[in-house]
């Protein structure tokens, strides 16, 4: 790409390399590749790609249980996603933020992030993700021993999973209801 002057392709390539390293759990290499991707996206004016790359960086930090760094990256992802009108990505980022807060036992913040994720999923027509997010809301309530609220969330999760044809995920939610 550099030899042929196709510099606009380099950011995406480095982003993909970061994904490969992340899949192999090679965190420093993944972060290096993502950082290089960010640099190329900035240089070539591809700002619409920055949000998804920051999202991936957040996932790398979350995998390492570096919660503050994950939240910082996710927040930056949201900022870039909103600035560049890439709203399709917002639900997924808020969903991941909810997971980070849930891991830290910050129940109110987790519930707020999950609710925001559901709102974005519905606004952008990504209904296939709503059931999974309701399932996680059920888990938050269950961990707080709020049985009725947990059951309500799990029931809503089942409804969404059935409506969107995600029958393979129903067993997990029914298991949690049994718990």
């Amino acid at each position: 790409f550099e030899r042929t002057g196709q510099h606009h392709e380099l950011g995406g390539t480095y982003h993909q390399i970061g994904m490969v390293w992340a899949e192999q759990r090679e965190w420093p290499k993944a972060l290096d590749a993502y950082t290089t991707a960010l640099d190329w996206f900035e240089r070539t004016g591809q700002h619409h790609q920055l949000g998804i790359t920051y999202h991936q960086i957040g996932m790398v930090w979350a995998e390492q249980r570096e919660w503050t760094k994950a939240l910082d990256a996710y927040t930056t992802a949201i900022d870039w996603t909103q600035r560049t009108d890439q709203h399709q990505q917002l639900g997924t980022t808020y969903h991941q933020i909810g997971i980070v807060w849930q891991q830290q036992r910050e129940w109110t913040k987790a519930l707020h992030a999950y609710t925001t994720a559901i709102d974005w999923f519905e606004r952008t027509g990504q209904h296939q993700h709503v059931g999974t997010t309701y399932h996680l809301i059920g888990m938050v309530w269950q961990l707080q021993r709020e049985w009725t609220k947990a059951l309500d969330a799990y029931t809503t999760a089942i409804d969404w999973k059935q409506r969107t044809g995600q029958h393979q995920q129903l067993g997990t939610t029914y298991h949690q209801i049994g718990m």
Side-chain angles (χ1 to χ4, degrees):
F1 291 136
E2 286 179 326
R3 279 191 238 148
T4 60
Q6 297 176 349
H7 295 108
H8 64 281
E9 300 289 343
L10 287 168
T13 302
Y14 278 109
H15 180 95
Q16 294 298 320
I17 291 169
M19 291 179 73
V20 170
W21 286 124
E23 188 68 30
Q24 295 177 29
R25 304 182 70 78
E26 294 280 351
W27 309 128
K29 292 177 182 178
L31 289 170
D32 284 345
Y34 287 136
T35 302
T36 303
L38 291 173
D39 182 50
W40 278 106
F41 289 142
E42 284 279 355
R43 281 195 223 177
T44 58
Q46 297 178 74
H47 298 119
H48 63 282
Q49 298 290 350
L50 294 170
I52 191 66
T53 302
Y54 276 109
H55 176 92
Q56 291 301 120
I57 290 170
M59 291 185 72
V60 168
W61 287 123
E63 284 290 329
Q64 297 177 84
R65 304 180 70 78
E66 293 279 353
W67 307 127
T68 302
K69 291 177 181 178
L71 288 170
D72 286 345
Y74 288 139
T75 301
T76 304
I78 288 169
D79 182 46
W80 276 108
T81 301
Q82 288 178 325
R83 273 199 246 173
T84 58
D85 290 327
Q86 302 292 313
H87 297 127
Q88 291 287 109
Q89 300 168 17
L90 286 171
T92 305
T93 302
Y94 278 109
H95 179 96
Q96 292 303 124
I97 288 171
I99 291 171
V100 169
W101 287 125
Q102 184 174 340
Q103 290 294 315
Q104 296 181 85
R105 303 179 70 80
E106 292 279 355
W107 309 127
T108 303
K109 292 177 182 179
L111 290 169
H112 181 265
Y114 288 143
T115 303
T116 305
I118 288 169
D119 181 47
W120 279 107
F121 288 143
E122 289 179 338
R123 278 195 223 178
T124 58
Q126 298 177 74
H127 299 112
Q128 71 277 14
H129 301 301
V130 174
T132 302
T133 307
Y134 271 112
H135 177 95
L136 291 173
I137 289 171
M139 291 183 72
V140 169
W141 288 122
Q142 184 177 349
L143 290 166
Q144 295 179 83
R145 304 174 88 64
E146 293 279 354
W147 310 122
T148 302
K149 291 177 182 178
L151 287 170
D152 287 346
Y154 287 138
T155 302
T156 303
I158 286 171
D159 181 49
W160 275 99
K161 289 176 181 183
Q162 287 175 330
R163 277 197 269 166
T164 57
Q166 296 175 307
H167 301 106
Q168 73 279 7
Q169 295 181 7
L170 290 172
T172 305
T173 303
Y174 279 116
H175 173 81
Q176 289 304 123
I177 288 173
M179 296 291 289

